[in-house]
Coordinates of all heavy atoms in Angstrom, one line a residue:
M807 N -2.8 24.0 -34.1 CA -1.7 24.0 -33.1 C -2.0 24.9 -32.0 O -2.5 26.0 -32.2 CB -0.4 24.4 -33.9 CG 0.8 24.4 -33.1 SD 2.2 24.8 -34.1 CE 3.4 23.7 -33.3
A808 N -1.7 24.5 -30.8 CA -2.0 25.3 -29.6 C -0.8 26.3 -29.4 O 0.3 26.0 -29.6 CB -2.0 24.3 -28.4
T809 N -1.2 27.3 -28.7 CA -0.2 28.4 -28.3 C 0.5 28.0 -27.1 O -0.2 27.5 -26.1 CB -0.9 29.7 -28.1 OG1 -1.7 30.0 -29.3 CG2 0.0 30.8 -27.7
K810 N 1.9 28.2 -27.0 CA 2.5 27.8 -25.8 C 2.2 28.8 -24.6 O 2.0 30.1 -24.9 CB 4.1 27.8 -26.0 CG 4.6 26.7 -26.9 CD 6.0 26.7 -26.9 CE 6.5 25.4 -27.8 NZ 7.9 25.4 -27.7
L811 N 2.2 28.4 -23.4 CA 1.9 29.1 -22.2 C 3.3 29.7 -21.7 O 4.0 28.9 -21.1 CB 1.2 28.3 -21.2 CG 0.8 29.1 -19.9 CD1 -0.2 30.2 -20.3 CD2 0.1 28.1 -18.9
E812 N 3.7 30.9 -22.0 CA 4.9 31.4 -21.7 C 4.8 32.3 -20.5 O 5.9 32.6 -19.8 CB 5.6 32.2 -22.9 CG 5.8 31.1 -24.0 CD 6.4 31.8 -25.2 OE1 6.3 33.0 -25.3 OE2 6.9 31.0 -26.1
K813 N 3.7 33.0 -20.2 CA 3.5 33.8 -19.0 C 2.2 33.6 -18.4 O 1.3 33.0 -19.1 CB 3.7 35.3 -19.4 CG 2.8 35.8 -20.6 CD 3.2 37.2 -21.0 CE 2.4 37.6 -22.2 NZ 2.7 39.0 -22.6
L815 N -1.6 33.7 -17.2 CA -2.8 34.1 -17.8 C -3.9 34.0 -16.7 O -4.0 33.0 -16.0 CB -3.2 33.1 -18.9 CG -4.5 33.2 -19.5 CD1 -4.6 34.5 -20.4 CD2 -4.8 32.0 -20.4
R817 N -7.8 34.7 -15.3 CA -9.2 35.0 -15.7 C -10.1 34.9 -14.4 O -9.9 34.1 -13.4 CB -9.6 33.8 -16.6 CG -9.0 33.9 -18.0 CD -9.5 35.1 -18.7 NE -8.9 35.2 -20.1 CZ -7.9 35.9 -20.4 NH1 -7.2 36.5 -19.5 NH2 -7.5 35.9 -21.7
L830 N -3.2 30.6 -14.7 CA -2.4 29.6 -15.5 C -1.1 30.1 -15.8 O -1.0 31.1 -16.4 CB -3.2 29.1 -16.7 CG -4.6 28.6 -16.6 CD1 -5.2 28.3 -17.9 CD2 -4.6 27.3 -15.8
S831 N -0.1 29.4 -15.3 CA 1.3 29.8 -15.6 C 2.1 28.6 -16.0 O 1.7 27.4 -15.9 CB 1.9 30.4 -14.2 OG 2.2 29.4 -13.3
P832 N 3.3 28.7 -16.5 CA 4.1 27.7 -16.9 C 4.4 26.7 -15.7 O 4.6 25.5 -16.0 CB 5.4 28.3 -17.4 CG 5.0 29.7 -17.9 CD 3.9 30.0 -16.9
W850 N 2.0 21.6 -12.5 CA 1.6 20.8 -13.6 C 2.2 19.4 -13.4 O 1.5 18.4 -13.8 CB 2.1 21.4 -14.9 CG 1.4 22.6 -15.2 CD1 2.1 23.9 -15.4 CD2 0.1 22.9 -15.4 NE1 1.1 24.8 -15.7 CE2 -0.2 24.3 -15.7 CE3 -1.1 22.1 -15.3 CZ2 -1.3 24.9 -15.9 CZ3 -2.3 22.7 -15.5 CH2 -2.5 24.1 -15.9

Side-chain angles (χ1 to χ4, degrees):
M807 181 177 216
T809 304
K810 287 188 179 184
L811 184 61
E812 296 176 347
K813 55 186 175 181
L815 176 68
R817 293 292 184 261
L830 300 172
S831 70
W850 295 122

